[in-house]
Amino acid sequence: ISEYPHLAYPFFFLLTISGFIFFALFGRSFINLPQLSKRLDTIFKWAIALWVVYLITILALMIITRRVLFLEGTYIFVLLYVVFLIRIAFFKTPLVRFYVAGALWLFCFTLLGMFWIFLSDQPLPFNPWPIGQVGQILIYAAGLAYKVRMNEKARAQAELIRLRNVELANLYEESKRQKEEIEIQK
């Protein structure tokens, strides 16, 4: 935004952290956290709410002061998210495995870029962050495909059970009718 250069960093900050919050909320829905653990889901919702309040506060302060603020709180929330990933990894469901694998893929490439900047004077010959994002998206796409396949399989199985129940009900009615006929004949 050439007319408002002081808004460039806050805008980038807003997009980055909002994307991370979306990523966390997607994971909550994807792995069906409320069903896995109500207690962990409650903690997760409170952490996201605090994070949103923090985000709005920092963003407002950046716009008001026209300065880039040091964002220690962001590191705290990222650390909490890593703890959350470690905690849900113990559930060992296929969807949790997909979610954790995608998150770890992105974190590995993000950390690679960050450590390279701190440890080397030379820039990396490639930008690791987009590679991490693409890998994460591909892993989540595979997870969504798995989820769709499992839902279709469950739906087909439910339809088969419904058809069997209808068939059993018809057989029961037929046997009941035959029993009545036998009683009448007697």
Side-chain angles (χ1 to χ4, degrees):
I1 310 172
S2 57
E3 298 86 26
Y4 305 100
H6 67 280
L7 294 179
Y9 188 79
F11 186 70
F12 175 74
F13 174 76
L14 174 68
L15 287 178
T16 303
I17 300 301
S18 297
F20 198 77
I21 290 171
F22 173 78
F23 162 61
L25 291 173
F26 164 79
R28 177 182 179 263
S29 174
F30 181 72
I31 65 173
N32 199 1
L33 185 60
Q35 186 180 13
L36 283 177
S37 171
K38 291 200 183 302
R39 181 173 168 249
L40 192 57
D41 184 54
T42 303
I43 293 168
F44 179 86
K45 286 190 283 190
W46 276 104
I48 291 294
L50 288 173
W51 202 356
V52 168
V53 168
Y54 167 78
L55 169 66
I56 292 168
T57 305
I58 290 296
L59 191 60
L61 288 173
M62 278 191 225
I63 291 171
I64 291 169
T65 63
R66 295 185 177 211
R67 291 182 332 163
V68 174
L69 302 173
F70 191 68
L71 308 169
E72 298 93 354
T74 303
Y75 300 124
I76 293 169
F77 284 111
V78 169
L79 179 64
L80 286 173
Y81 192 72
V82 169
V83 170
F84 169 73
L85 286 174
I86 291 168
R87 174 63 187 97
I88 66 169
F90 289 105
F91 286 115
K92 296 184 180 173
T93 67
L95 294 177
V96 166
R97 289 181 179 146
F98 277 113
Y99 186 71
V100 171
L104 289 178
W105 181 270
L106 178 63
F107 282 143
C108 287
F109 277 91
T110 301
L111 290 175
L112 171 68
M114 288 171 51
F115 285 131
W116 188 273
I117 290 170
F118 291 125
L119 299 176
S120 174
D121 296 335
Q122 301 292 324
L124 270 171
F126 61 92
N127 186 349
W129 204 54
I131 295 170
Q133 287 178 318
V134 168
Q136 179 189 33
I137 289 169
L138 291 174
I139 291 169
Y140 289 166
L144 286 172
Y146 174 82
K147 191 173 184 175
V148 166
R149 192 169 16 112
M150 290 298 109
N151 286 344
E152 286 175 359
K153 192 184 272 188
R155 227 175 289 133
Q157 195 171 21
E159 180 63 18
L160 183 63
I161 289 170
R162 188 189 68 76
L163 290 174
R164 284 186 181 160
N165 285 341
V166 167
E167 186 179 317
L168 285 172
N170 289 340
L171 286 172
Y172 175 75
E173 289 299 320
E174 178 66 25
S175 70
K176 192 173 161 185
R177 189 186 57 76
Q178 286 177 353
K179 185 177 177 184
E180 288 172 358
E181 280 183 18
I182 291 171
E183 288 297 322
I184 290 172
Q185 286 177 358
K186 282 183 180 178

